[in-house]
Amino acid sequence: MKKNGYTCSMFTVNFCAAGCGRPAITGSTLCAIHSANPAADIQRLLEYIAGRELVRDISAAGLHFEGVDFSRRQYDGCNFSGATFSMCLFTGAVMRLNFFDFTTLSFCDFSNGDLQFLSFAGATIRECTFEGSELLHINFGGTLITDSTFNKTNLYNSRFIDANIARTNFIDSNLKRANFVKTRREEISFKYSNTAEAIFEMESAG
């Protein structure tokens, strides 16, 4: 698949041999739920990631990561859906077409990253920072975002439709074509951001 001159493969789905319909973990025939040893699956994936600057086409769906350094690598077409990330670093990461749908992210650092065409649909994001990052064409639809920071980010054409956002700052950020339709917002700061170029009402989306 090609996006804006950038070529990226989508991840290949191998389904769990237990027949549950969930994606199998890379290097295994089973998903995270049916795996006999999820800790071994995590260790195998982390060893694979550690030896590469470009990580492509892996499935880590449903796994639990704590205190892992994923920073300063490139991730293309990877599936992290339903995974849990606690106190993980993604600083300076380059990401294209990765899936974080229904993940739980707490105390994670995505600052100074280059993230494009990602999906965080239905995710829970608590006390995370995306400060100083390029966040282009990101789907945050239906997310729960609390106590987090999007300061000095470029959110061009990203979508927060139907999200719940509380105690979160979007200070000095580019909100051009960012879509906040049907969001529920509490204690939010858009100070110094170009809110006039964002979409907050359904009528503006046409």
Side-chain angles (χ1 to χ4, degrees):
M1 181 177 290
K2 195 169 186 178
K3 292 279 189 179
N4 291 357
Y6 183 89
T7 302
C8 176
S9 63
M10 292 289 286
F11 65 85
T12 302
V13 178
N14 295 309
F15 291 105
C16 178
C20 67
R22 297 181 180 89
I25 302 302
T26 296
S28 173
T29 60
L30 298 171
C31 69
I33 290 177
H34 288 104
S35 172
N37 194 344
D41 290 328
I42 292 170
Q43 186 60 35
R44 183 181 62 252
L45 282 172
L46 293 182
E47 288 173 359
Y48 177 86
I49 291 170
R52 287 164 174 77
E53 292 184 2
L54 172 60
V55 180
R56 176 175 289 163
D57 200 32
I58 65 167
S59 176
L63 293 177
H64 301 271
F65 299 96
E66 183 173 353
V68 176
D69 186 355
F70 293 96
S71 62
R72 309 197 185 285
R73 289 182 174 82
Q74 182 166 334
Y75 300 86
D76 290 355
C78 297
N79 182 12
F80 299 105
S81 299
T84 300
F85 297 89
S86 177
M87 296 181 288
C88 292
L89 296 177
F90 295 87
T91 51
V94 176
M95 295 187 170
R96 299 291 187 272
L97 283 168
N98 296 308
F99 292 82
F100 289 85
D101 300 298
F102 301 103
T103 56
T104 298
L105 297 143
S106 55
F107 301 97
C108 292
D109 187 345
F110 286 84
S111 61
N112 300 310
D114 182 359
L115 283 57
Q116 299 186 34
F117 302 102
L118 273 58
S119 179
F120 290 89
T124 298
I125 301 172
R126 293 193 179 99
E127 300 196 56
C128 294
T129 179
F130 294 82
E131 188 160 355
S133 288
E134 296 288 312
L135 300 172
L136 308 181
H137 315 284
I138 308 294
N139 179 19
F140 290 102
T143 53
L144 171 64
I145 303 172
T146 57
D147 303 288
S148 295
T149 301
F150 291 82
N151 297 343
K152 298 183 179 179
T153 59
N154 182 4
L155 284 160
Y156 175 79
N157 202 39
S158 288
R159 301 172 304 286
F160 293 84
I161 298 169
D162 205 32
N164 287 283
I165 311 172
R167 300 176 301 281
T168 293
N169 292 329
F170 297 82
I171 297 171
D172 196 20
S173 295
N174 177 26
L175 302 180
K176 186 173 183 179
R177 295 186 63 183
N179 193 322
F180 292 89
V181 169
K182 295 184 179 179
T183 55
R184 288 158 292 282
R185 303 185 299 276
E186 180 183 350
E187 297 182 48
I188 305 301
S189 176
F190 290 109
K191 189 175 181 180
Y192 304 129
S193 296
N194 53 335
T195 52
E197 296 188 82
I199 301 167
F200 289 95
E201 302 294 338
M202 193 69 74
E203 295 76 26
S204 302

